Each structure stands twice: as structure tokens, then as C-alpha cells.
Amino acid sequence: MSPIELHVWNRAFGLPSLDPECLAAIAFLSSAIPQDLWVLVESNNVSVSPNGSLPALKDGSQRIGGFDAIVSYLHSKNSGGYDIDRNLTDLQKAQSIAYRSFIRKTCLPIVSLSLYVTSKNWINVTRPLYSTFLQFPIQYEIPHTHHVRAIGLTSHLTSLIRDIAAEESRPIQPVSTAFAGITATADKSKPQEKEKITTRVRLRNLLADFLDPIGEKLAGQNFFFGSASPTTIDCLLVGYLSLLLYPKLPSPWAKEILQQEFSDIVAYTNGFSSNCFPQNITYGTPDENDKLTLINWTKRTIENSPQSWGLTDDVPLNQEGYKAQSTAFWVAVQGVIGLAATIGSVLAYKALTTERKVDVELKEEVAGKEVYSTARGSVGDVGSTGATSNRTEKERLPIFRAEDMLGL
Amino acid sequence: MASPLRDTFRAPTFIRRLFSHFPLITHPVDPLPMSIEDFYPSAARQHVERSINTLYSFTDSTDGSVASFNPACLKWQTYLRIRNVPFDTHPSNNHASPSGSLPFLITSSPSDRISQTVPSTKLGRWIEEHAVGSANTVDTDGGDYRAFLCLLEGAVRDAWLYALYVDPSNLSSLTIPKYTAQTPLWPIPAILGSQMRQAAVDAIRKSPSSSALPAGTEIYEKAMEAFKALSILLGDDEWFFGADEAGMFDAEVFAYTHLLLGLEIGGGGGVVAEGLGWFGNLVDHEERIRRRWF
């Protein structure tokens, strides 16, 4: 029997993967399944997964995508032998499900902020990291996709991101020391220091928002539910926490705050991560079809291009009917609008040009200046235009008309 | 001489002729806004004073006891009723809201004449300040409370969005008629409908637990798992977290269960609504709130 393959994103930061969900899946498999029954495959290829996200599990012909699906698949396999939650009460199982969504909702923005959106870390560490394991054209597309997703996930933290960026750019600013005395930097340094502290406090609050409930729940125990062995929620938690704690970053705010203020959580992560990310993980090589080659990548990009251009939203589940209807509808709308615009413009042009009156432009000298006036008359009606011009010459009063304002 | 230059820059006759037709109509001056009574108390005295708060939400009725068809609106409507705040509802849409999202409350009390607009983000605090105290003392900062709230705002909300906005059968039979009731002119419902659908797809994709290619079956499975967890959490208690009186969390759950059980949802969403029926205690919880406050 061939071993189960776990497809993940590449190793990084001294951890077996750079993605929190992949780390969680690795932690889960090494806690639930004997070491010789599974291999880790760094395929970096999302088309392995049926739902387009890594981690993905490949068990013979079966393919399962996403941490939650992998967990429930393995729980039901081997008649529950791989179920590491089997000793939990029903309420604890319910809490486990709830805390999974809590961890993702609160911690994923923090991880994204730390690794992808804090520009110093992104430029110096995370972005170059992708180049080390991806080929030439692919190494531009994949990190870009991840970066865009990270920006989307942190969109509610805009002001905080700006503060971090401002703080980072500051040491570069003082270019010349010659004018330092004139611009009085001594006064400036104090508010800067203050600002730095406020940013730090806000980052601390962001982390506390996630870690306080977790810390309460852990209360110094080795595992989340106080059991002797890890459960699913521990695996997910360690996946996210280790990405905050272990990467060596130029702007290491997450690590510093964790070490300063949440020492019990650091102890918990250190204790568990050494067991769940063992040094002797067996690595497998992906099949030819699962490899991220240039050909596979190009094929997938072409297949996905209608979606990335916004032509279709590939939401499965019998959408064909809707798509056909909506396309036909839009074509009809465009046709109607186009037709209406054509007819309208023709009518407007006719109405404005085939009027039986014409404008006669008069150029006159009024008080030494040239002015224009327009007299309107029917075609061939020379008398009326003449009369108007005579009148203006005599009275020299109503020379300007509203429409002439445009000409002048 | 400036004249050749002027000749060059004169607008063509056609354009000048066109512009001489404007303005086509001069409309009468708009009446003064109703809020003028805030500045001229005498005007207010003549005007019949509203003695009740108004909740602007997605709804068909001006009666506060008719449930809204939008979960976010229904949540606040339920909580206001639980806390015994008197109010009327008013059918509205996002464009009316100062914050861009519904619901919002325009307050009115006999003591201060100046009415106050409370957006949904500040509604919770306003209720704490203005309503009589509640027997519900659940700690809303507690870990379990926040975790289960995330479950509701994640898995259950995604399933709701998928069933009502993305699934084409429900989009055309339920969502579009309800949300575009105020503008039933031909192309507008269809355009708004496709915009709402796109917004829902974006919202699902942005959800932290979503995969790169979200599929209906996966989303519905997660929602069923979430309802199972909520059912276990409620257990045999009357209200969530063993409280003596219904609270915010009960209103949050009711907002989804009431609509899922009450609307005739077709397609995959119907399976979720049917599946929700298996969790007897959640159905009873929904009925308990509906009987008492709606």
C-alpha cells in the first residue's frame, strides 16, 4: 500500500511549511497517524487539491482539500483509529469547531500582517523566499496571489498598517546631519517615540484580542482541553502560533510581543511544536502530474483566465443555467442601449440641424472691440437679419446672447 | 488681433444651438428638510411629534413585530424587542444609511427633541444606555462566546450568502423581489441582482476559512457542522450559555434560524434548512423567541 501523500507549500523559517493551514495539517498527521504511513510532498501545486487550496491529501485515488476536510476524512478512516478527538465530550467537540473558526478569523489577519503586509518583512524575507523554490515565471505569480489575499484579509487594519509603515520608514529619513541642528530634531524625537509606543500598544491589543481567550482556555495546561495528548484544535493553534513565533523577521513585532507578554502561550507552542514537527519527516516526490511544472502552471493559468479577467465567477454547483441566462441578458441590454443611443443621436442631430432657421453670424465693431452676435432667421429671410443688425447698430444694447458666451 | 484666434476657439454652431436649449425645465424649489424642526422648535410644535423610535431596515412592513428578511437587520430588531425598546420599522435601503449599512435607528424621546441617528455599530451601546436592565448576564468578551459568534458569522453566514444570493433559483425567486421591491422597474432588479450576487461571491471568498474555489457542498457541510455545534452548546437550556433571559447571542442565532426555517429556500440551501429541522432544540429556541416577541 502506498503511503498517504500530504501536499503542502514549501518549507520555510525552519518550519516544514510557510502556510498556517499546511502546518496544522502536518501537526495533525504526525499526531494521528504512524510516521511510516504518510509522506510529505512539497508540490506547491494547488491543482492537486479539489478546492484549489493546500494542504491537500492524496490517498490512492482519493483527493481531499483543506484542513477541515482532511481531519474529517481521517477521523472516519481506519474505523476511527486516527480520531484524536475521540476522548472529548460532545460540548468539547462543539467548542473545537467553534474555536477553529475563531482562530482563523482572528489570527489569520495577524499572520498575514506580520509576514506579508508589514512591508519590511515582505520585501526582505517573505517575497525572496518564494524565489528560492519556484521557477522563473511562476515565482512572480504565486507570491503575488498570496500577497493580494493577505492585503484583503487585513483590509480592516488599514490605519495600523500605515503606522507600521511610517515607523519603518523613519530611520531612513534623516539624510543630512549638517542641517540637523536647524531643523531641531531634538523636539521631534519625543513625539516619534510616543507614536512608536502607540503603534506597539495597538499591535499588542490586536494580538491580545486573539490570545487572551486562548490563554484563558489553556490556563497552563499542556493541551487545549487539558488532555494528555493533542487534539485537532491544538494542531490548528500550533500551525498559526508557530508562524508568529519562529520566523526571523526584520520587523519582529509579533515575536517580541508574544515573548514579552504571553510567555505561557510561547511555552505551550514550544512544548508541542517540537513533537508535531519532527525532524525526521519522510519527504516524498510528487507524481509527474502533480509537479508544478511550467506546462502544468500555464495550463492552469489559461483555464483560470476567464475567471481572473472577471468574465466568469467559477462558483460550481449547477451554475450553467444562470450563466447562460445572464450572458444572454447582458447582450440584450447592451443591444438595447446601443440601439437607443444610435437612434437618439440621429434624432438629436436631425432636430438641431434641419431646423428651417439658420444662424447668421455678425461681426461688429463695438466700442473699438470686435464682438459677435448671432441673428436667427429663416432661410432666405435677409430682411429680418438685416433689421436686427440695424437695430444693434443703433442701440448697441442687446448684443450678447447666452449661446455666444460659449464662443467667446 | 485676437479675432482669428477667437474664430478658431468658437464652439461650432451645432454645439451652441444644443446648449441654447438648456435648461429644459426649471424645477420648483425643494421644501425645507424635516429636520428643520430641530432648529426651529416652534415648527416642531406645529408638527405632530413622533413619539417612537424608528428602525430603518430591510423589511416589508412598518410594524416592529414583523420580522425583517435580512439577518443583520433581524438580529437588531430581535434584540430591541427582547430589551423592550419601543420602535417602528421603516422599509429602507443602504443608500439611506449614513454608514452605508442597515439597520440604523432614529431615536425620539419626549425629553430631548433632537433626534439622534444610531448606526448599527453603535446600536449595542445605545441599547445598554437606554433600555431597562436585562437579566441576561452573559460575558460577551468570554472566549466561548466569541468563538461561537465567529462560527455564526463565518460558516452560517457563508451558507446564508451562498443559498440566498449565489444560488440562482433563490436569487431570482426570493432575494431579488425582496430587496428590489422599492424599484421594480424592469432592468433595475436584474442589475442589482447580479451586483448582489457578485458581492456575495466576493464576501464568501474573503472569508478566512474559505478555500480558493469555494463550492456549495463544502459551504453547506460547514454550516451543518456549525448548527450541530450550536445545538450541542444550547443543550437543554432555554437560552444560550444557560442565561435566565434571552440575550444578544439568542438574537444572533434567531436571525438565521428564523429565516432559514421560515423562507421557502430551494436548491442546496433547502437542504440546510431541512437539516436545521433535525436539531430539535434549535427549532424550539426559534419558536420560543417567535412566539414571545413576534
Side-chain angles (χ1 to χ4, degrees):
Chain A
M1 200 183 92
S2 64
I4 300 169
E5 287 179 12
L6 180 67
H7 290 253
V8 293
W9 288 106
N10 212 75
R11 70 192 95 175
F13 315 117
L15 293 165
S17 176
L18 57 83
D19 178 75
E21 297 278 326
C22 291
L23 284 172
I26 294 165
F28 178 79
L29 259 73
S30 54
S31 313
I33 303 182
Q35 196 59 242
D36 51 342
L37 288 184
W38 66 282
V39 291
L40 192 64
V41 183
E42 291 173 325
S43 64
N44 300 315
N45 185 4
V46 290
S47 37
V48 174
S49 167
N51 67 0
S53 287
L54 294 178
L57 202 69
K58 198 178 152 200
D59 185 9
S61 59
Q62 283 259 15
R63 282 160 190 260
I64 296 105
F67 177 74
D68 289 347
I70 290 172
V71 167
S72 45
Y73 173 76
L74 289 175
H75 276 179
S76 58
K77 204 178 148 72
N78 192 17
S79 56
Y82 299 150
D83 186 353
I84 56 173
D85 294 345
R86 59 180 171 268
N87 293 326
L88 297 182
T89 63
D90 279 351
L91 182 62
Q92 282 175 330
K93 280 181 188 168
Q95 284 172 337
S96 172
I97 291 167
Y99 273 95
R100 272 190 223 171
S101 73
F102 173 73
I103 291 169
R104 286 188 180 120
K105 185 160 184 191
T106 51
C107 192
L108 190 54
I110 301 174
V111 171
S112 302
L113 184 65
S114 166
L115 290 178
Y116 293 87
V117 185
T118 302
S119 53
K120 219 178 185 177
N121 296 345
W122 166 245
I123 294 166
N124 295 321
V125 176
T126 322
R127 173 68 193 82
L129 177 74
Y130 281 91
S131 311
T132 58
F133 62 88
L134 293 172
Q135 284 181 332
F136 157 63
I138 308 169
Q139 61 175 258
Y140 294 107
E141 190 252 348
I142 289 175
H144 174 72
T145 323
H146 288 199
H147 193 213
V148 167
R149 174 156 165 83
I151 289 170
L153 283 165
T154 51
S155 57
H156 58 292
L157 303 169
T158 329
S159 69
L160 190 56
I161 294 166
R162 208 167 40 224
D163 286 354
I164 296 172
E167 192 183 293
E168 282 171 357
S169 66
R170 200 155 295 130
I172 310 161
Q173 277 174 349
V175 185
S176 162
T177 46
F179 298 104
I182 303 166
T183 50
T185 43
D187 292 352
K188 270 187 180 171
S189 65
K190 269 181 188 170
Q192 279 173 14
E193 201 58 39
K194 212 177 190 177
E195 214 170 275
K196 196 166 184 176
I197 292 165
T198 22
T199 312
R200 185 46 70 100
V201 168
R202 288 174 68 196
L203 286 168
R204 192 222 155 255
N205 290 345
L206 183 71
L207 274 162
D209 192 45
F210 161 57
L211 291 171
D212 280 348
I214 301 289
E216 253 170 57
K217 210 73 192 168
L218 283 172
Q221 302 165 112
N222 281 340
F223 295 109
F224 197 79
F225 288 115
S227 48
S229 59
T231 56
T232 312
I233 197 73
D234 293 299
C235 300
L236 191 67
L237 202 50
V238 86
Y240 279 87
L241 285 173
S242 51
L243 274 182
L244 292 179
L245 202 53
Y246 298 130
K248 290 186 178 62
L249 300 169
S251 177
W253 50 265
K255 188 184 190 169
E256 282 172 14
I257 294 170
L258 265 164
Q259 283 173 340
Q260 280 163 15
E261 303 200 25
F262 300 95
S263 49
D264 48 338
I265 287 174
V266 174
Y268 160 81
T269 317
N270 286 337
F272 184 34
S273 67
S274 51
N275 293 325
C276 67
F277 304 136
Q279 294 303 311
N280 57 345
I281 296 177
T282 331
Y283 280 95
T285 43
D287 285 354
E288 243 357 92
N289 293 333
D290 298 339
K291 269 186 187 158
L292 184 65
T293 57
L294 191 55
I295 297 165
N296 284 348
W297 176 78
T298 317
K299 216 173 107 192
R300 182 168 58 86
T301 313
I302 292 169
E303 277 166 8
N304 291 346
S305 55
Q307 178 217 337
S308 54
W309 295 337
L311 296 177
T312 59
D313 45 12
D314 61 332
V315 184
L317 187 86
N318 57 38
Q319 300 301 59
E320 279 64 37
Y322 181 83
K323 271 180 197 159
Q325 180 209 332
S326 85
T327 321
F329 169 75
W330 283 112
V331 170
V333 166
Q334 282 163 10
V336 168
I337 291 171
L339 201 67
T342 318
I343 295 171
S345 56
V346 167
L347 286 179
Y349 187 75
K350 285 240 171 198
L352 289 161
T353 49
T354 58
E355 210 181 349
R356 288 190 49 226
K357 300 202 170 186
V358 291
D359 279 350
V360 179
E361 292 186 8
L362 302 169
K363 200 175 183 183
E364 294 165 307
E365 291 268 335
V366 178
K369 282 184 184 171
E370 276 195 347
V371 285
Y372 293 91
S373 68
T374 310
R376 189 174 285 185
S378 300
V379 182
D381 188 1
V382 188
S384 80
T385 48
T388 322
S389 88
N390 285 342
R391 187 172 55 81
T392 47
E393 234 173 52
K394 268 181 215 159
E395 298 167 7
R396 289 190 178 175
L397 264 171
I399 301 169
F400 294 100
R401 288 178 49 161
E403 53 192 322
D404 284 14
M405 300 292 280
L406 297 162
L408 290 164
Chain B
M1 282 294 278
S3 64
L5 202 67
R6 278 187 197 158
D7 277 335
T8 332
F9 284 104
R10 280 197 102 192
T13 324
F14 169 72
I15 302 282
R16 279 184 290 139
R17 184 70 71 78
L18 179 69
F19 274 84
S20 72
H21 283 80
F22 291 96
L24 294 173
I25 307 171
T26 311
H27 288 284
V29 181
D30 278 343
L32 285 174
M34 294 298 277
S35 60
I36 197 78
E37 66 194 49
D38 299 342
F39 305 103
Y40 297 102
S42 59
R45 255 176 256 127
Q46 289 160 12
H47 200 267
V48 181
E49 208 167 295
R50 285 169 300 158
S51 60
I52 201 162
N53 308 310
T54 313
L55 183 74
Y56 288 77
S57 69
F58 289 112
T59 179
D60 313 317
S61 164
T62 54
D63 185 351
S65 64
V66 174
S68 160
F69 51 80
N70 176 285
C73 294
L74 183 55
K75 172 182 92 179
W76 287 112
Q77 192 182 356
T78 311
Y79 193 55
L80 283 167
R81 290 194 72 81
I82 289 174
R83 296 296 295 269
N84 252 328
V85 179
F87 69 96
D88 276 340
T89 51
H90 193 278
S92 183
N93 62 50
N94 308 37
H95 303 291
S97 168
S99 64
S101 67
L102 290 179
F104 66 97
L105 188 77
I106 292 189
T107 65
S108 137
S109 64
S111 54
D112 55 344
R113 200 179 294 102
I114 294 173
S115 61
Q116 193 189 347
T117 307
V118 190
S120 54
T121 45
K122 290 180 183 153
L123 209 47
R125 198 196 290 162
W126 184 87
I127 293 169
E128 290 310 318
E129 283 167 8
H130 291 80
V132 281
S134 166
N136 187 299
T137 51
V138 177
D139 174 20
T140 54
D141 288 329
D144 281 10
Y145 185 95
R146 289 186 55 200
F148 279 95
L149 194 60
C150 281
L151 192 62
L152 205 58
E153 287 170 353
V156 177
R157 186 199 70 136
D158 286 353
W160 168 263
L161 288 177
Y162 198 92
L164 268 287
Y165 295 87
V166 182
D167 192 326
S169 55
N170 296 324
L171 182 71
S172 54
S173 69
L174 282 172
T175 311
I176 291 178
K178 289 236 179 239
Y179 282 89
T180 59
Q182 290 166 344
T183 46
L185 260 160
W186 165 63
I188 295 168
I191 293 167
L192 287 178
S194 76
Q195 283 177 351
M196 285 194 287
R197 183 174 190 272
Q198 191 53 49
V201 171
D202 290 345
I204 291 170
R205 220 170 252 157
K206 227 187 122 185
S207 162
S209 51
S210 146
S211 56
L213 304 168
T217 41
E218 194 187 337
I219 291 170
Y220 293 143
E221 260 169 36
K222 283 191 177 170
M224 290 315 296
E225 202 181 43
F227 280 127
K228 189 180 167 197
L230 286 168
S231 170
I232 293 169
L233 177 70
L234 180 61
D236 298 327
D237 294 340
E238 196 174 357
W239 309 115
F240 276 98
F241 300 104
D244 298 330
E245 181 58 276
M248 195 64 217
F249 197 83
D250 298 277
E252 302 247 15
V253 175
F254 174 80
Y256 285 103
T257 52
H258 174 72
L259 292 175
L260 282 172
L261 293 168
L263 294 173
E264 308 250 316
I265 298 169
V271 180
V272 172
E274 202 180 296
L276 177 58
W278 301 335
F279 302 112
N281 57 351
L282 288 182
V283 178
D284 291 346
H285 176 263
E286 188 268 336
E287 194 183 335
R288 217 170 293 141
I289 294 183
R290 177 159 46 85
R291 285 274 154 79
R292 202 161 136 195
W293 285 292
F294 286 94

